[in-house]
Amino acid sequence: MTVTGGKRMQKLSATTVPTPRTVYAARRAQLMRHLGKDGVALIPAAPEVLRNGDSHYPYRPDSDFYYLTGFAEPEAVAALVPGRRGGEYIVFCRPRDPSKEIWTGRRVGPAGVVQHYGADAAYDIARLDELLPELLKNRQRIFFSVGRRAEFDTRVTAWVNGLRAKARAGVHAPREFVDIEHCLHEQRLFKGKHEIATLRRAAQVSALAHVAAMRLCRPGMMEYELEAVFLHYFRRHNCVPSYNPIVGGGANACILHYNENNMPLSDGDLVLIDAGAEAEYYAGDITRTFPVNGRFSAAQREVYQVVLDAQYAAIAKVRPGNHWQDPHDAAVRVLTRGLIELGLLRGKPAQLIKSGAFRTFYMHRTGHWLGMDVHDAGAYKDGDEWRLLRPGMALTVEPGLYISAHIKGVPKRYWDIGIRIEDDVLVTREGCEVMTAEVPKEAAEIEALMAHGR
Ligand code: GLY
Ligand code: MN
Ligand code: MN
């Protein structure tokens, strides 16, 4: 088994190499083989979302929609109609409108979608209710994300009811609504060459931002000042955060989804940072935990080493043919033995694992699929069995220990130590590649980096 990663990569450029249009066409073709000639798929774009008043959140395309289209505008629907004469790939989108474009930005428009995005035909989204039922006629099955967007569910139902009303005219309405996620997310689970290149870039930008934060950290800084290092680094490299960064000093590290990030960082405390860059809609997701003053205390180092050993043990289980659960089980074994050695648990490891006693200090799982969504699409089980790891899957490995002072019987020296170490890992033919290896995680390496930055 080989674990690769850690080589110095080439200098970071501001942008990725664009994914060729042929890649999106190949994804649609793969999905259409699954739909069959009686099927039709409908994939709506994500809506714009108001943040407050009339201000929107920055627009982020829906991952399924973008994966299949490469098209990043809101107010669009893609339809895939295998074998349809007159075109299998139809897009409804916003029309060009020079006066609106002055206010809200450029639009590709239907003609542009045909010319640049490979659509066989494209229409104004305002004609959706008029034209879409035509695409459903005489098809048996409609594939879409059933139950994800109530408004879209209602619209699909209305289109189908409209066709049912034409039964006496000889029109067959679709009889089955099938959740597209089962097949589409299985497809997204296995990353292709361009996706892997983009994931590596997201991983690398994320990693180098963590390095910058380690270099800059000083006692007395505010958590948000470290968060700012990430935001600055990400934007400089044409990325955005792939989720809200967590910067938790001291006891805040024991709050798993802490993201107020508004407290001072104290001399003698650790800081846990969980932050990742999204590059071209692919997520990085890294956690590092390091001493605010650049030197681990003895107690911090003891706990840190347990988590690091657990992470190494888990990564060693990421290889083709192993189960999804194997890295988690390996991490739990090392963490439980460590908790016994630290005096935080008493008993036999097997018993403490069976009873779940470790969960007082380790209450989450060891990872998740990684891709366009930080918690990416794809099933974790195949029937009743944890699924087997295969080349092209990407996942995180992120064990931790969270020793809140509120837990009864914890010696004072360990109070409020919260540690997580998270890397992004690609399953390869030989084993795995740690895509985020450019940010140190050995305690001595972190100390050396932080001393150097001073
Ligand atoms: N940052 C989210 C996670 O680690 O799962
Ligand atoms: Mn994660
Ligand atoms: Mn994370």
Side-chain angles (χ1 to χ4, degrees):
M1 207 286 286
T2 332
V3 177
T4 58
K7 302 183 286 282
R8 272 277 142 201
M9 296 188 202
Q10 68 218 35
K11 199 168 167 307
L12 273 177
S13 65
T15 50
T16 41
V17 178
T19 301
R21 296 291 157 212
T22 49
V23 171
Y24 296 99
R27 291 175 188 164
R28 291 190 296 269
Q30 186 181 344
L31 181 61
M32 282 197 277
R33 283 194 290 279
H34 191 94
L35 305 179
K37 63 178 178 9
D38 287 336
V40 49
L42 303 177
I43 309 103
E48 290 185 284
V49 182
L50 281 174
R51 178 179 181 273
N52 64 298
D54 59 357
S55 297
H56 289 91
Y57 283 105
Y59 185 68
R60 166 58 159 82
D62 174 80
S63 297
D64 287 340
F65 181 84
Y66 191 85
Y67 174 83
L68 292 169
T69 63
F71 182 60
E73 288 186 20
E75 295 183 74
V77 173
L80 296 175
V81 197
R84 177 175 171 269
R85 281 209 298 273
E88 298 182 306
Y89 174 36
I90 297 98
V91 174
F92 296 84
C93 66
R94 302 180 303 186
R96 295 294 315 271
D97 183 335
S99 61
K100 285 211 171 107
E101 289 179 49
I102 286 171
W103 288 90
T104 55
R106 296 185 178 88
R107 297 173 171 194
V108 171
V113 170
V114 171
Q115 190 178 348
H116 302 297
Y117 292 83
D120 296 315
Y123 303 98
D124 184 339
I125 185 78
R127 300 185 64 195
L128 190 64
D129 288 329
E130 169 201 344
L131 299 179
L132 198 106
E134 280 299 307
L135 304 176
L136 307 180
K137 249 187 202 169
N138 303 327
R139 300 263 158 180
Q140 289 232 17
R141 277 175 288 281
I142 308 183
F143 291 75
F144 68 107
S145 276
V146 182
R148 185 133 71 106
R149 298 212 177 93
E151 193 253 355
F152 195 71
D153 290 359
T154 309
R155 252 173 129 171
V156 175
T157 310
W159 295 327
V160 171
N161 281 339
L163 292 175
R164 281 181 184 147
K166 294 183 183 154
R168 280 189 298 278
V171 172
H172 294 294
R175 289 202 294 265
E176 297 169 41
F177 288 3
V178 188
D179 191 3
I180 197 172
E181 295 188 0
H182 179 69
C183 53
L184 180 53
H185 290 180
E186 185 65 13
Q187 197 173 318
R188 275 178 53 192
L189 180 55
F190 294 90
K191 274 65 183 178
K193 182 172 85 175
H194 291 89
E195 297 185 281
I196 290 171
T198 313
L199 272 173
R200 283 191 183 123
R201 182 183 153 78
Q204 195 188 16
V205 173
S206 310
L208 295 180
H210 276 267
V211 170
M214 283 180 189
R215 285 212 168 104
L216 213 83
C217 183
R218 300 280 184 284
M221 281 177 83
M222 302 297 286
E223 291 167 342
Y224 53 73
E225 291 180 75
L226 281 190
E227 180 183 0
V229 175
F230 288 84
L231 303 182
H232 175 77
Y233 198 88
F234 293 169
R235 290 307 293 140
R236 264 182 63 204
H237 295 90
N238 196 22
C239 294
V240 294
S242 43
Y243 51 91
N244 294 329
I246 296 169
V247 182
N252 295 338
C254 295
I255 303 168
L256 295 182
H257 290 166
Y258 176 77
N259 49 35
E260 285 97 335
N261 302 351
N262 59 4
M263 304 273 282
L265 295 163
S266 304
D267 201 349
D269 277 353
L270 295 173
V271 57
L272 180 155
I273 304 183
D274 186 343
E278 182 183 275
E280 292 284 321
Y281 310 122
Y282 283 80
D285 182 10
I286 300 181
T287 309
R288 288 293 185 267
T289 311
F290 57 90
V292 169
N293 65 15
R295 297 282 304 172
F296 286 90
S297 72
Q300 289 165 351
R301 191 181 302 264
E302 289 164 27
V303 182
Y304 189 87
Q305 197 58 46
V306 171
V307 178
L308 186 60
D309 290 343
Q311 210 232 14
Y312 284 135
I315 290 174
K317 294 286 181 190
V318 180
R319 59 164 184 259
N322 274 3
H323 286 99
W324 163 258
Q325 180 78 346
D326 288 336
H328 178 69
D329 288 344
V332 165
R333 281 193 293 275
V334 175
L335 292 174
T336 303
R337 280 201 298 272
L339 287 166
I340 295 168
E341 273 160 33
L342 295 171
L344 295 171
L345 286 180
R346 253 190 284 267
K348 296 235 176 322
Q351 185 50 40
L352 294 169
I353 291 170
K354 196 160 170 233
S355 69
F358 64 88
R359 290 203 188 98
T360 305
F361 303 99
Y362 182 45
M363 56 298 279
H364 59 79
R365 299 192 58 85
T366 304
H368 47 82
W369 301 132
L370 182 74
M372 297 190 77
D373 297 314
V374 66
H375 297 163
D376 203 33
Y380 290 91
K381 279 196 161 175
D382 194 357
D384 289 339
E385 296 288 318
W386 292 110
R387 67 185 305 161
L388 298 177
L389 298 176
R390 295 271 174 244
M393 292 172 160
L395 61 146
T396 65
V397 179
E398 51 179 306
L401 286 177
Y402 311 91
I403 314 174
S404 165
H406 302 299
I407 300 169
K408 271 226 303 272
V410 170
K412 195 161 179 203
R413 64 196 299 263
Y414 297 126
W415 279 7
D416 287 335
I417 293 180
I419 294 170
R420 175 163 68 256
I421 305 171
E422 175 175 29
D423 279 304
D424 301 346
V425 180
L426 176 73
V427 185
T428 60
R429 278 214 300 266
E430 300 77 28
C432 69
E433 172 190 327
V434 180
M435 296 183 286
T436 42
E438 281 186 86
V439 53
K441 59 186 174 185
E442 287 284 339
E445 282 178 329
I446 291 174
E447 288 182 341
L449 175 73
M450 294 184 75
H452 193 70
R454 253 139 248 260

